[in-house]
Amino acid sequence: MAETSETTGAGELGSPPRKSSWRYIGPGIVVAATGVGAGDLVATLIAGSKFGYTLMWAAVIGCLVKISLAEAVGRWHLATGRTLFDGWRTLGGWTTGYFAVYVVVWGFVYGATAMSSSALPIVALFPDGPGLKTWAIITGLIGLVFVWFNQYAVFEKVMTVLIGVMFVVVVYVAIRVVPDIGASFAGLLPVLPDGSLIYTLGLIGGVGGTITMAAYGYWVNAKGWSDTSWMKVMRIDNRVAYITTGIFVVAMLIVGAELLHSSSIALTQGDRGLIDLGKVLEDRFGAGTAKLFLVGFFAASFSSLIGVWHGVSLMFADFVDRIRAARGDTGVDEAGSGTVGRQERSVPFRAYLLWLTFPPMTLLWLDEPFGLVIGYGVLGAFFMPFLALTLLWLLNSSRTPREWRNGWLSNGMLGSAGLLFIVLCVQQVRELPW
């Protein structure tokens, strides 16, 4: 999104590309697959069920917001050769304190949420099998083993398969419900029906908007993209990823509008709303379509699980590296470049993997403690404003080479995103069970 000249993307391992840059696409698909979870799909469905096609324009704007944020993250990594946490650390010790508390509390609660979400469609597909807690533990352990023993190349291929399954299923279901093309185009005209403001903000800021957006730069480096010669490739990769995400959102809005809005069917909030939708699909189109949808539900949930297991563990490993470097420990690459392969085998990476997997299992038997819910909600609400506004700071300062600093378009998009996420943050904090 910066108004700079784009260099020609170099090929894998630094050789000039002999084929189109499209063949290198990968990290964007990973961040899109991780960011779009079951809860996001339900929120979009509910928006479609309440307002039909009216909020289609918000999905388009949301896609543009995510493109600008991820592009800024990738541009920082490629233009500076430094990781995002390394950049945050230059803004002051408060960023280290915030991230340290955030990554511990968020990881503890998210681990249980991700495992439960992945287990729900399996229980629906095999009702006579083990219960939700058992499947949740199994999916968590599978995610742990997969990320522990595989590095980025294999991880990316599996994520691509999962997002492919999710894409095909969601688009297929949208086609089956027969969308109203005229109403879809009419929905591109910005309109705010009564009571739609929060749903509109959620569509713009919520789907695909998580801590995993910050992990995009780490996946860019893991792919082998390490300098500005990859800038053009990164931008293509990012745009393809979030256009794909936009198609998901539009498809789910169509399903909500056609299948639920016209019939005044209400869904359960949260991941269980997709189980409700599976029952509606079974009544309308038969068991085959319902089971196919549950497979897509699983792909959405499990891709988010392993994406967080890998991406946020990379961020935590880098966090530990930066702390060690600040203390003068030897053996730490201060530039933060080219270290992903090492970090995937490091003690901090694997320690955070264990933190995401085993302690959260206790929450499967307990109602989440009141204080933990509050802490998780507040920290989570503040992360996206934190990301947008710190990127705005970093990419307009001398920390970024002049030719890769923000132009007016990037500043406008990141500034708008920051304001949007602040509004969402206030709303989320107000809705917490204080």
Side-chain angles (χ1 to χ4, degrees):
M1 301 295 288
E3 292 68 61
T4 57
S5 59
E6 294 178 339
T7 55
T8 303
E12 201 85 39
L13 302 178
S15 61
R18 298 180 180 179
K19 297 183 180 180
S20 167
S21 298
W22 294 83
R23 70 186 289 260
Y24 298 107
I25 287 172
I29 295 297
V30 170
V31 75
T34 304
V36 181
D40 297 306
L41 297 182
V42 172
T44 308
L45 275 171
I46 292 175
S49 69
K50 287 182 175 291
F51 303 104
Y53 293 93
T54 309
L55 300 182
M56 191 74 75
W57 62 273
V60 175
I61 292 178
C63 180
L64 296 176
V65 168
K66 303 310 183 308
I67 287 174
S68 66
L69 276 168
E71 188 274 344
V73 172
R75 177 155 46 93
W76 165 265
H77 276 250
L78 296 181
T80 66
R82 300 163 75 89
T83 66
L84 187 54
F85 184 78
D86 204 13
W88 286 338
R89 193 167 57 89
T90 68
L91 302 180
W94 65 275
T95 60
T96 300
Y98 170 76
F99 185 78
V101 176
Y102 175 85
V103 79
V104 171
V105 177
W106 182 88
F108 182 46
V109 180
Y110 180 82
T113 302
M115 287 186 275
S116 296
S117 179
S118 297
L120 274 171
I122 302 177
V123 172
L125 282 167
F126 306 103
D128 297 327
L132 181 68
K133 294 182 180 65
T134 302
W135 278 120
I137 291 171
I138 290 172
T139 56
L141 292 175
I142 291 173
L144 170 69
V145 171
F146 172 76
V147 175
W148 189 291
F149 291 104
N150 287 293
Q151 291 186 287
Y152 178 78
V154 176
F155 166 73
E156 182 190 287
K157 288 181 174 61
V158 172
M159 291 291 278
T160 301
V161 170
L162 289 172
I163 201 172
V165 171
M166 184 167 62
F167 183 88
V168 169
V169 169
V170 168
V171 172
Y172 168 76
V173 172
I175 293 171
R176 284 295 303 270
V177 301
V178 189
D180 184 331
I181 303 300
S184 298
F185 281 105
L188 296 175
L189 180 67
V191 175
L192 274 178
D194 290 341
S196 67
L197 178 60
I198 299 305
Y199 292 96
T200 302
L201 292 174
L203 277 177
I204 295 174
V207 180
T210 68
I211 189 176
T212 53
M213 292 199 72
Y216 179 57
Y218 294 84
W219 286 323
V220 162
N221 291 155
K223 183 73 170 176
W225 307 348
S226 57
D227 55 42
T228 56
S229 66
W230 291 99
M231 200 70 76
K232 180 179 179 180
V233 179
M234 181 275 291
R235 286 171 170 163
I236 293 173
D237 173 74
N238 172 46
R239 289 164 190 167
V240 169
Y242 280 100
I243 288 171
T244 303
T245 301
I247 294 173
F248 287 150
V249 177
V250 168
M252 294 304 280
L253 271 175
I254 289 171
V255 173
E258 292 293 341
L259 201 61
L260 306 176
H261 181 65
S262 59
S263 305
S264 299
I265 297 173
L267 295 183
T268 304
Q269 294 281 349
D271 300 347
R272 291 184 181 275
L274 293 183
I275 299 296
D276 295 346
L277 180 61
K279 294 175 182 176
V280 174
L281 288 171
E282 184 171 4
D283 293 339
R284 177 87 172 265
F285 301 113
T289 298
K291 290 184 183 300
L292 181 64
F293 176 76
L294 290 171
V295 170
F297 177 2
F298 173 77
S301 299
F302 192 67
S303 64
S304 294
L305 186 153
I306 61 174
V308 167
W309 264 228
H310 187 274
V312 184
S313 296
L314 275 180
M315 292 185 69
F316 181 77
D318 183 55
F319 167 75
V320 173
D321 272 358
R322 298 310 106 208
I323 298 299
R324 289 179 57 203
R327 292 174 177 172
D329 290 1
T330 59
V332 178
D333 181 1
E334 177 64 24
S337 176
T339 63
V340 170
R342 176 183 61 78
Q343 286 176 339
E344 288 175 309
R345 298 184 296 273
S346 69
V347 171
F349 180 90
R350 290 178 168 174
Y352 195 72
L353 269 179
L354 296 173
W355 175 253
L356 282 168
T357 306
F358 291 106
M361 288 179 183
T362 60
L363 296 181
L364 298 174
W365 276 269
L366 302 172
D367 290 332
E368 295 173 2
F370 180 80
L372 193 59
V373 172
I374 298 297
Y376 172 76
V378 171
L379 289 167
F382 274 93
F383 185 80
M384 290 305 287
F386 170 79
L387 175 62
L389 297 178
T390 54
L391 283 171
L392 199 61
W393 189 348
L394 290 170
L395 292 169
N396 281 290
S397 71
S398 59
R399 299 171 181 84
T400 303
R402 184 172 297 277
E403 65 174 311
W404 298 110
R405 291 178 197 169
N406 279 358
W408 65 268
L409 181 58
S410 290
N411 279 328
M413 292 298 292
L414 287 177
S416 299
L419 291 174
L420 166 70
F421 292 129
I422 287 172
V423 173
L424 283 170
C425 172
V426 171
Q427 181 62 29
Q428 286 176 300
V429 171
R430 287 177 58 189
E431 291 179 350
L432 287 171
W434 294 100

